[in-house]
Structure formats: structure tokens, C-alpha cells
Amino acid sequence: MFQFEGTPEELDASQVLKKLADQHHGPLSTIAEGGRGSGKLPARIPGVADEGQETVRQMLGRSPAPSLFIRFLEETTRWDNVGVYGIKRKAAKPDAPLDYSRYLRLRRQGSQYGGFAYIYAEYSTINLRLNYSKQQLDDLGIKSARTLTTGHREYRVSVDLTDETSLSDALKLAELAYEAT
């Protein structure tokens, strides 16, 4: 068990995290994740190009549910012709590498529609290319998704990965979005 000197009032959050990291002898992502999984990231983040591996790994270090996010990627990148891509910024030069620091795009290669999901590693959030109402989500038995009122009109369904139910819902919705692209 972790040992602290002083009362909780005497320790600020950064001191607590440092003490936990020192006593744990491992990455803070393992500590932050608690009982939800091992917290260890695989040697390679599934589907992410070499150029984006380190950036996505850093984003997952701040994620509330990195293991759920990894499992989402493991499943979706097994589907036919699915790729994980960074974003080409509007002001980027033609030969600039893709940006993996904000969000990633899951795309069915060969599709004229672009991505079927925008995924945020840092927040473990999945925004899907579905313009469903709350009633449509309820009819599908999806309880963990929410409808968005901002952003691109085609991407109006979002799921925050927090537990097994949200992961299952995100995968079900991702499959619907994938099939529609």
C-alpha cells in the first residue's frame, strides 16, 4: 500500500501523484486508471502509424480510460480496410506530417465519405458519423451515447468510454457508421 507523510490537507495533488509514482515504480497512467485494467499500454497502439505512436501514447497517458480506448482500436482496426489517421491541418504545408495531437480519424479506405469516427485518445471519446436522435439511440438500446448539437452535422453521436457498457455501445455504433460509409 502507498505510504504518505503528513495529513491529506498538507499534501497537494502534485505531491500525491509524485509520491504515488515514486512508490509505485511505474507510469502514472497505471495509477490513474485504478481498478479498470492493467493501465499498461501495448508496445504499439493498434492502427496508428509509426509517426503518431509517441504522440498518441502521450495522449493516452492523460486519458481517463486508456485500456478501453485501446480495446476500441483493437476491434475497429480488424475490420476490412480500416485505417487510423492523424489530421492534416488547414495551414499545414503539403509535405507536413499528419497531426496526431488532438484527434484521430477512423476511415474506411476507399470510402468517399471520409472518416466514420473521430476519436479523442486524451479523453477516450468517440464521435461517430451518425446523425441519430436520442430516440433512435434509445430504440437501439444505446444508453451511454449522447447526441451533439455542435460540430459537423454528420457527426452527431458521441460516446465517452467509461466502462464495458460504453465500450460495447461505441463498437455497435461504430459498426453502423462503418457500414454507412
Side-chain angles (χ1 to χ4, degrees):
M1 196 73 211
F2 300 112
Q3 302 291 319
F4 296 100
E5 295 176 19
T7 66
E9 294 79 22
E10 295 171 333
L11 297 171
D12 68 22
S14 64
Q15 290 173 313
V16 170
L17 287 174
K18 181 174 180 349
K19 286 185 181 290
L20 284 171
D22 290 346
Q23 292 178 24
H24 175 67
H25 305 294
L28 286 178
S29 61
T30 303
I31 297 164
E33 184 145 20
R36 285 184 261 171
S38 71
K40 294 185 187 237
L41 297 177
R44 289 195 52 77
I45 308 302
V48 176
D50 288 344
E51 69 184 22
Q53 284 286 322
E54 185 55 35
T55 301
V56 174
R57 185 173 299 285
Q58 289 172 6
M59 303 297 278
L60 285 170
R62 297 187 294 268
S63 171
S67 65
L68 294 172
F69 189 85
I70 294 293
R71 288 174 53 204
F72 179 84
L73 280 178
E74 285 172 343
E75 178 64 28
T76 55
T77 57
R78 285 188 206 128
W79 300 346
D80 287 339
N81 298 320
V82 170
V84 179
Y85 300 93
I87 304 303
K88 183 66 96 172
R89 297 287 176 197
K90 288 180 183 176
K93 295 182 180 184
D95 59 340
L98 296 176
D99 182 353
Y100 291 84
S101 67
R102 185 160 175 248
Y103 60 92
L104 306 170
R105 187 170 44 124
L106 279 179
R107 182 168 187 194
R108 185 177 193 173
Q109 296 170 354
S111 168
Q112 62 185 2
Y113 294 108
F116 65 88
Y118 289 113
I119 57 177
Y120 297 78
E122 183 173 13
Y123 307 107
S124 293
T125 297
I126 314 298
N127 284 1
L128 298 138
R129 185 182 177 88
L130 297 170
N131 191 356
Y132 285 10
S133 67
K134 185 65 176 151
Q135 182 61 52
Q136 287 171 303
L137 293 171
D138 289 344
D139 291 346
L140 291 169
I142 306 278
K143 301 295 181 201
S144 63
R146 66 184 184 285
T147 56
L148 304 174
T149 58
T150 61
H152 193 283
R153 68 181 179 349
E154 294 296 326
Y155 293 86
R156 292 299 170 105
V157 175
S158 186
V159 179
D160 293 324
L161 299 176
T162 58
D163 56 21
E164 292 297 322
T165 300
S166 63
L167 176 60
S168 176
D169 287 350
L171 287 168
K172 182 188 282 187
L173 291 168
E175 189 169 7
L176 292 171
Y178 167 83
E179 293 295 333
T181 56

